[in-house]
C-alpha cells in the first residue's frame, strides 16, 4: 500500500491540534519532529480537498511513498519509549530495557499507538492502576496492539481487539506474535462484539467516542471500567456530559501535552 506523506511546519501546540483534525480524515500515522509534523495517509483513499482545507494556513509539502520506503523511514526514526518504570516499548533492533516492569516489542510501521504520542502514553499510565487479573478486556481501535498486549501481560483472561484499518490488523498480529501473546483475538471490524467486558480501552478520537458511547455502555459489565483517550482538553466537557448521560462515572482524568485520558466506571 502506497502512502501520502505530508510534512507540515507547525509548533508543538499546533501539531497536537492537527493530529486530532487529520486523524478524523483517516490519517494512518504521524511523526513529530521539532517544528514539523509529518502525517501519512493511504494513497488510494486520500481526501486531498479536506486535508488542504485544514492546512490552508500552514506551510507544507507532500509526496507519495512506496510501501517499502515507508517502513525504512519509520524504523530509522523509531526510538524506544518508557512510561515511567512501568512499561517500555521498543523495536526488536533496540537493546532491552533495564529497570522496567513490562517490556513490549513492536514492529514499527505506520499504525497508531507506539507509545510516543501523549494519548497512548496516558492510556498505559492509567492501565498501571487497574486490576487486569482474570479480567475480560475489549480494545476498541487497537492500532499497533500495544494496549491489548499490555493487558495480557497484566493478567487479562481474554482480550478482544478490533480496528478498521487492515494495516493495523496486520501490524497487531505481528506484534502479538513478537510478544508471545496467546489470549488476544484481533479482527478487522467497526462493529462492537455482543459480549460484555470488565475493562474497555478506547484510544480513538472524540467523534468516534461520541458515536459509539451508547454501544460501549452496553458491553460494559456492572462496575466495569472504561478508559478513554484520543481526546483534546477542549473535548472534555462534551465527552464527560455524554458519559454522564449514559450512567458512566468519571473516576480519574490525566492530562499531557493538551490531550486528556478519562477513566470511568459503569454504574
Amino acid at each position: 500500500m502506497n502512502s501520502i506523506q505530508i510534512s507540515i511546519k507547525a509548533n508543538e501546540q499546533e501539531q497536537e491540534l492537527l493530529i486530532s483534525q487529520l486523524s478524523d480524515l483517516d490519517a494512518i500515522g504521524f511523526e513529530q519532529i521539532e517544528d514539523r509534523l509529518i502525517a501519512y495517509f493511504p494513497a488510494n483513499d486520500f481526501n486531498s480537498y479536506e486535508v488542504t482545507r485544514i492546512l490552508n494556513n500552514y506551510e507544507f509539502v507532500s509526496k507519495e511513498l512506496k510501501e517499502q520506503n515507508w517502513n525504512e523511514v519509520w524504523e530509522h526514526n523509531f526510538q524506544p519509549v518508557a512510561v515511567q518504570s512501568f512499561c517500555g516499548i521498543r523495536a526488536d533492533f533496540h537493546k532491552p530495557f533495564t529497570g522496567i516492569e513490562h517490556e513490549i516489542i513492536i514492529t514499527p510501521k505506520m499504525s497508531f499507538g507506539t507509545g510516543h504520542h501523549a494519548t497512548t502514553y496516558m492510556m498505559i499510565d492509567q492501565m498501571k492502576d487497574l486490576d487486569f487479573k482474570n479480567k475480560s478486556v475489549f480494545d476498541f481501535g487497537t492500532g499497533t496492539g500495544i494496549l491489548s498486549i499490555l493487558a495480557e501481560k497484566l493478567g487479562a483472561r481474554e482480550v478482544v481487539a478490533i480496528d478498521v484499518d487492515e494495516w493495523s490488523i496486520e501490524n497487531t498480529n505481528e506484534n502479538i506474535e513478537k510478544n508471545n501473546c496467546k489470549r488476544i483475538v484481533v479482527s478487522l471490524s467497526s462493529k462492537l462484539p455482543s459480549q460484555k467486558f470488565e475493562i474497555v480501552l478506547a484510544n480513538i478520537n472524540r467523534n468516534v467516542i461520541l458515536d459509539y458511547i451508547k454501544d460501549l455502555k452496553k458491553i460494559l459489565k456492572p462496575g466495569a471500567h472504561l478508559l478513554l483517550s484520543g481526546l483534546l482538553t477542549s473535548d472534555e466537557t462534551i465527552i464527560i456530559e455524554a458519559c454522564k448521560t449514559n450512567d458512566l462515572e468519571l473516576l480519574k482524568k490525566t492530562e499531557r501535552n493538551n490531550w486528556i485520558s478519562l477513566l470511568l466506571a459503569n454504574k
Side-chain angles (χ1 to χ4, degrees):
M1 177 178 68
N2 291 354
S3 59
I4 303 296
Q5 179 196 70
I6 303 179
S7 179
I8 310 155
K9 186 175 182 180
N11 61 37
E12 182 176 345
Q13 186 172 0
E14 290 171 333
Q15 288 181 29
E16 301 297 345
L17 176 60
L18 286 170
I19 287 172
S20 177
Q21 293 174 320
L22 297 176
S23 294
D24 289 339
L25 296 178
D26 299 323
I28 51 178
F30 296 98
E31 291 180 81
Q32 292 176 276
I33 305 173
E34 296 181 349
D35 64 344
R36 301 202 74 83
L37 174 67
I38 303 175
Y40 298 88
F41 296 83
N44 60 355
D45 190 27
F46 177 56
N47 191 337
S48 60
Y49 175 80
E50 287 298 324
V51 171
T52 301
R53 182 180 63 81
I54 288 174
L55 299 180
N56 183 52
N57 296 320
Y58 295 89
E59 177 185 325
F60 69 94
V61 293
S62 62
K63 64 180 179 180
E64 184 168 352
L65 297 179
K66 300 293 184 183
E67 178 179 344
Q68 63 271 22
N69 290 345
W70 161 260
N71 288 331
E72 291 173 6
V73 171
W74 187 253
E75 289 187 9
H76 176 73
N77 288 293
F78 179 80
Q79 295 298 320
V81 60
V83 179
Q84 302 176 43
S85 61
F86 173 60
C87 180
I89 302 156
R90 66 175 179 87
D92 55 9
F93 49 81
H94 293 134
K95 293 181 180 179
F97 287 96
T98 58
I100 292 289
E101 189 175 352
H102 301 284
E103 183 176 71
I104 297 175
I105 302 171
I106 69 170
T107 302
K109 290 189 177 179
M110 56 183 170
S111 303
F112 287 112
T114 60
H116 292 79
H117 193 262
T119 59
T120 309
Y121 186 102
M122 287 187 294
M123 290 287 286
I124 292 172
D125 190 42
Q126 293 237 53
M127 286 173 71
K128 79 176 187 296
D129 297 322
L130 288 176
D131 180 10
F132 281 82
K133 291 181 180 178
N134 297 314
K135 299 292 178 63
S136 57
V137 178
F138 176 57
D139 185 5
F140 183 32
T142 191
T144 58
I146 281 180
L147 302 183
S148 290
I149 292 166
L150 180 58
E152 178 170 325
K153 287 179 179 289
L154 292 173
R157 181 180 74 254
E158 63 170 333
V159 182
V160 176
I162 66 171
D163 204 290
V164 296
D165 180 53
E166 291 184 13
W167 192 277
S168 290
I169 297 301
E170 177 185 333
N171 193 200
T172 294
N173 281 320
E174 288 178 316
N175 294 332
I176 287 171
E177 184 176 350
K178 277 187 178 295
N179 290 274
N180 299 311
C181 292
K182 308 297 183 185
R183 301 188 297 277
I184 302 171
V185 177
V186 59
S187 60
L188 181 69
S189 178
S190 61
K191 185 178 179 180
L192 302 190
S194 57
Q195 74 181 94
K196 292 183 181 290
F197 298 87
E198 291 157 296
I199 298 176
V200 172
L201 310 170
N203 184 21
I204 310 183
N205 62 59
R206 185 186 81 163
N207 292 338
V208 173
I209 290 171
L210 289 174
D211 287 344
Y212 280 86
I213 192 66
K214 290 183 180 179
D215 295 321
L216 289 170
K217 162 72 175 183
K218 292 176 183 177
I219 66 170
L220 289 167
K221 291 184 177 182
H225 289 99
L226 172 63
L227 182 56
L228 304 175
S229 197
L231 304 167
L232 289 163
T233 52
S234 57
D235 299 327
E236 180 177 349
T237 300
I238 190 171
I239 292 294
I240 290 179
E241 282 301 315
C243 290
K244 284 182 179 178
T245 300
N246 288 277
D247 290 323
L248 296 167
E249 178 187 2
L250 179 64
L251 300 179
K252 183 180 178 181
K253 181 192 82 170
T254 60
E255 184 174 334
R256 184 179 176 89
N257 299 337
N258 206 37
W259 295 87
I260 58 171
S261 173
L262 304 175
L263 175 62
L264 304 113
N266 186 26
K267 294 181 180 179

